Amino acid sequence: MLLLMLLALLWGGSPAQDLGFSLQVQRVVTVQEGLCVRVPCTLSYPPLGWTEDTPALGYWFLAGTDSSVGRPVATNDQNRAVRTVPQDRFQLVGDPQNRNCSLLIREALVEDSALYFFRVERGRYVQYSFMKNQFYLQVTVLTLTPRPQDHGTHLTCRVDFSRKGVSTERTIRLNVAHAPKDLVISVSRANTSALEPPAHSPHLEAEKGQFLRLLCAADSQPPATLSWALEDRVLSRSHPQGSGTLELVLPGVKPGNSGCYTCRAENRLGSQSRTLDLSVQYAPENLRVMTLHANRTVLENLGNGTSLPVLEGQSLRLLCVTHSNPPARLSWVLGGQTLSPSQPTDPGILELPQIEMEHEGDLTCQAQNPLGSQHVSLHLSVVYPPRLLSPSCSWDGEGLHCSCSSQAHPAPTLRWRLGEGLLEGNHSNASWTITSSSAGPWANSSLSLSGLLGSGLRLSCEARNAHGKQSATVLLLPDKGLVSKAFTNGTFLGIGIMTLLFLCLLLVMKTLKKKQTQAGTPPRPRATRRSTILDYINVFPNPGPLAQNRKATPSSPSQAPPPGAHSLEFKKNQKELHVVAHTCPGPKSFTQASESENNQEELHYATLHFLGLRPWETQEPKDTYSEYTNIKFH
């Protein structure tokens, strides 16, 4: 009999129920989430293998747990860990030694819903799990969810045992904590005006100098900390225990105030933010014109009223920039005429590929938008190197008189060279007198020489300014006797002689032009820096003291022209008139050097027979080429 009881205890089968193992518990226990519930439970077990002093241990397990190694949800065994968190949320309040297995569940959770079973251990043989006497815990959500607006209200919980005539209640004040919400930004455009309602658009426009007040407010519990930031820079911050609003005042908005403003509300439960894009509108300002000069890599700022000198023939590039909102429309005006932009997509850029004289004048860049306009005016001054007119000379009873004129911007200075000597300024002595004057771009100078002048003497007029120089030379040829006599007698050439001379010179001109055309000579360039007029003028002195001291035999050669010179020579018996052209030394450009190498010029001669000679001079062309288009006789 004892053996059968032991086997029944070990197997836990149905015979054990008959041998004294039983448990009574409610099959389904229902509790609301967050509340507590007591589960009554009683059990019985046989008096086998234990005494009154033997402790009884009880364990409540979640169904499916291995009772030998798994953790219970509640137990009175101090050496056994539980699985609930916190660990006293499930408590075995009954004493298994007194046949009580009651369970207390506090702060029930929805995830606590499950089947549970009980196990008892007392002595060596009473070790039994009541697998067929389980109960199901059902946790419901019929619950109260406090809202932010419930903060500060009172909540009463009442328990009424009507049948027992017992009831109780408890009242609490709700402290509902929540993250910031309902954050709004309001705007005021005057110091005393009311705030405008918050706009749905995150964009705000204001004119420069306008007063602006921004107010940020948010609902939160505990009160949130508010802050205003422009881009990544924090402008102001509220006290943690503030009123829930934060104000940002801009007394006079500036273009620098434009940007993205962010109001942020934050507490321990979360944060919320809202942004406002402020655009400050203003008329064009800080308008300036910049230019890039030759041989420079840095743009130069030009202020209003600046005079800008530009060399004729050079290119000019100007850049006009301004600050404005909305963007300004830029335009260029020269002398009252609107210029077309070089780049339609960027009208602030003006390019003049080749400066000419007609470009001189007032140049204005104008910037305009709906709020106003601004302009910068420059005076474009076209500068150029000297343009020298060939000097003219004549003899009279007192000596040789020569005059020279030149045009340039800035006005040139004129000086004379007699042989190797330099004559300049307004000066006078026993041998020579210089008188100079200037008016606008023109400069004039006259030279009077007296005394003895040797044959082959060179007389030069030189004009120069900061952009270049030009010079022209008068070559005094030796006297030929009959020529001197012709001057002494004052014989004049007739109209027929002049006509014949013109036809001869015309033939020479056509020959020269034909050879230039065949050689593919390019069009004559303008006078460049340090260019030189290539004309010589032969002046024959009067007979008398000056001529008598310069006598030479008819067969003696005159001074030879320098290398590369062009000559036109007229002969009749021993009567000679020489027109000599000589290139004065000076630097050449690459193009000029190439032309001189590829186009070798020839000497051309013409012979004219006439009865007599008279003083004459040549009219110099306006360029550096040696074409003789006009010879004047005096």
Side-chain angles (χ1 to χ4, degrees):
M1 183 66 178
L2 179 60
L3 181 58
L4 293 175
M5 292 179 62
L6 291 174
L7 291 174
L9 289 173
L10 293 175
W11 293 340
S14 58
Q17 301 292 339
D18 301 334
L19 295 177
F21 284 96
S22 65
L23 184 141
Q24 294 181 355
V25 67
Q26 187 176 342
R27 294 295 183 181
V28 178
V29 177
T30 304
V31 64
Q32 288 187 5
E33 183 183 19
L35 300 182
C36 58
V37 64
R38 182 184 177 92
V39 182
C41 177
T42 60
L43 79 161
S44 64
Y45 47 86
L48 182 64
W50 56 270
T51 64
E52 290 296 331
D53 296 329
T54 303
L57 301 178
Y59 307 88
W60 280 104
F61 287 98
L62 186 65
T65 305
D66 185 352
S67 61
S68 62
V69 295
R71 290 187 179 187
V73 295
T75 182
N76 62 346
D77 185 355
Q78 300 298 322
N79 297 321
R80 197 78 173 266
V82 297
R83 64 184 297 169
T84 54
V85 179
Q87 62 182 4
D88 60 346
R89 201 161 59 81
F90 279 62
Q91 293 180 356
L92 179 59
V93 294
D95 185 3
Q97 191 167 343
N98 296 327
R99 278 64 170 182
N100 191 333
C101 55
S102 297
L103 177 67
L104 177 63
I105 302 174
R106 298 186 305 113
E107 299 178 4
L109 302 176
V110 174
E111 52 265 32
D112 293 335
S113 299
L115 281 171
Y116 295 88
F117 69 91
F118 185 74
R119 177 178 175 82
V120 63
E121 295 180 358
R122 190 172 187 182
R124 183 176 181 182
Y125 301 107
V126 178
Q127 297 184 10
Y128 185 79
S129 296
F130 298 91
M131 302 300 295
K132 293 184 177 181
N133 301 96
Q134 302 179 21
F135 82 93
Y136 181 79
L137 177 65
Q138 182 179 10
V139 181
T140 64
V141 293
L142 179 53
T143 59
L144 173 64
T145 302
R147 300 165 299 173
Q149 56 267 34
D150 295 329
H151 177 72
T153 61
H154 293 84
L155 178 65
T156 301
C157 178
R158 178 178 295 108
V159 179
D160 188 8
F161 297 94
S162 302
R163 291 176 296 179
K164 301 292 184 178
V166 178
S167 65
T168 182
E169 67 178 30
R170 183 181 176 185
T171 300
I172 61 173
R173 186 174 183 271
L174 292 179
N175 184 11
V176 183
H178 60 91
K181 66 183 186 67
D182 300 334
L183 189 150
V184 295
I185 296 177
S186 301
V187 180
S188 175
R189 297 180 183 270
N191 193 18
T192 57
S193 65
L195 290 170
E196 300 177 5
H200 297 289
S201 173
H203 301 284
L204 176 64
E205 293 183 354
E207 292 188 12
K208 179 182 176 181
Q210 188 177 23
F211 176 89
L212 204 61
R213 182 160 59 105
L214 307 179
L215 183 66
C216 177
D219 182 16
S220 64
Q221 183 61 34
T225 299
L226 300 174
S227 63
W228 276 107
L230 175 58
E231 305 300 341
D232 296 330
R233 180 168 55 97
V234 177
L235 304 178
S236 63
R237 190 184 301 274
S238 69
H239 191 273
Q241 301 300 324
S243 61
T245 61
L246 180 62
E247 185 180 73
L248 179 65
V249 176
L250 303 175
V253 294
K254 303 182 291 294
N257 295 135
S258 296
C260 185
Y261 288 80
T262 301
C263 177
R264 182 180 181 86
E266 185 174 12
N267 67 5
R268 59 181 176 83
L269 298 177
S271 64
Q272 189 179 26
S273 64
R274 187 178 295 274
T275 60
L276 183 67
D277 188 14
L278 175 62
S279 175
V280 179
Q281 311 279 303
Y282 58 100
E285 61 183 31
N286 195 24
L287 179 65
R288 61 191 186 279
V289 174
M290 296 179 288
T291 182
L292 186 64
H293 284 284
N295 302 325
R296 297 186 186 179
T297 57
V298 179
L299 288 171
E300 179 182 354
N301 286 322
L302 305 175
N304 194 25
T306 300
S307 178
L308 179 61
V310 183
L311 187 63
E312 184 183 18
Q314 283 189 345
S315 62
L316 179 63
R317 180 184 174 94
L318 297 174
L319 175 63
C320 186
V321 294
T322 186
H323 298 290
S324 65
N325 190 18
R329 182 175 60 87
L330 298 174
S331 61
W332 291 93
V333 177
L334 177 60
Q337 180 180 1
T338 301
L339 303 179
S340 299
S342 306
Q343 304 178 14
T345 57
D346 193 352
I349 297 178
L350 177 65
E351 293 178 334
L352 300 176
Q354 187 173 9
I355 293 296
E356 300 178 356
M357 290 301 300
E358 54 265 25
H359 289 140
E360 182 163 294
D362 291 332
L363 180 63
T364 301
C365 174
Q366 184 168 0
Q368 186 172 11
N369 72 359
L371 299 178
S373 64
Q374 193 178 30
H375 71 274
V376 170
S377 293
L378 312 173
H379 181 72
L380 192 61
S381 177
V382 180
V383 298
Y384 52 93
R387 301 167 182 170
L388 184 66
L389 300 182
S390 297
S392 60
C393 296
S394 63
W395 289 97
D396 61 13
E398 298 179 356
L400 179 67
H401 300 280
C402 297
S403 62
C404 182
S405 299
S406 177
Q407 181 187 20
H409 189 202
T413 58
L414 294 175
R415 60 183 185 179
W416 296 87
R417 286 187 181 274
L418 183 60
E420 298 299 328
L422 179 64
L423 311 178
E424 58 184 339
N426 287 318
H427 190 71
S428 177
N429 59 23
S431 301
W432 51 271
T433 300
I434 295 178
T435 303
S436 300
S437 63
S438 62
W442 285 95
N444 304 290
S445 182
S446 62
L447 171 65
S448 296
L449 295 175
S450 59
L452 299 179
L453 299 177
S455 63
L457 184 64
R458 290 189 178 190
L459 178 63
S460 301
C461 177
E462 181 180 277
R464 67 168 56 201
N465 67 2
H467 305 289
K469 70 177 183 178
Q470 273 192 332
S471 64
T473 299
V474 176
L475 181 62
L476 305 181
L477 297 181
D479 187 12
K480 297 295 182 176
L482 292 177
V483 176
S484 300
K485 184 178 180 180
F487 276 99
T488 303
N489 297 330
T491 306
F492 295 95
L493 294 177
I495 297 176
I497 299 298
M498 289 296 294
T499 303
L500 185 60
L501 178 60
F502 175 76
L503 293 176
C504 180
L505 291 178
L506 184 60
L507 177 61
V508 173
M509 287 172 50
K510 288 184 177 180
T511 303
L512 288 175
K513 290 183 178 179
K514 180 178 181 182
K515 288 186 175 294
Q516 288 182 348
T517 304
Q518 293 174 350
T521 304
R524 292 178 294 170
R526 301 187 179 192
T528 59
R529 179 184 292 268
R530 299 179 59 85
S531 61
T532 304
I533 292 181
L534 312 179
D535 291 335
Y536 283 69
I537 303 173
N538 302 295
V539 180
F540 293 86
N542 287 324
L546 294 177
Q548 292 172 2
N549 292 324
R550 297 189 290 108
K551 289 183 179 181
T553 61
S555 59
S556 61
S558 62
Q559 182 175 352
H566 296 178
S567 300
L568 296 183
E569 183 177 1
F570 301 87
K571 299 181 180 180
K572 184 178 187 305
N573 295 329
Q574 300 297 325
K575 302 177 182 179
E576 298 177 352
L577 172 62
H578 295 262
V579 179
V580 184
H582 170 58
T583 303
C584 295
K588 295 183 179 180
S589 65
F590 177 81
T591 304
Q592 293 171 334
S594 300
E595 291 176 356
S596 64
E597 293 175 0
N598 298 330
N599 301 317
Q600 296 295 332
E601 299 177 355
E602 300 179 359
L603 300 179
H604 300 272
Y605 298 88
T607 301
L608 175 65
H609 297 274
F610 54 91
L611 296 177
L613 295 175
R614 59 182 297 173
W616 57 274
E617 63 179 0
T618 59
Q619 176 66 35
E620 181 204 15
K622 294 185 179 180
D623 51 35
T624 61
Y625 283 74
S626 305
E627 296 182 5
Y628 299 85
T629 59
N630 189 14
I631 296 180
K632 295 182 180 179
F633 288 84
H634 299 276

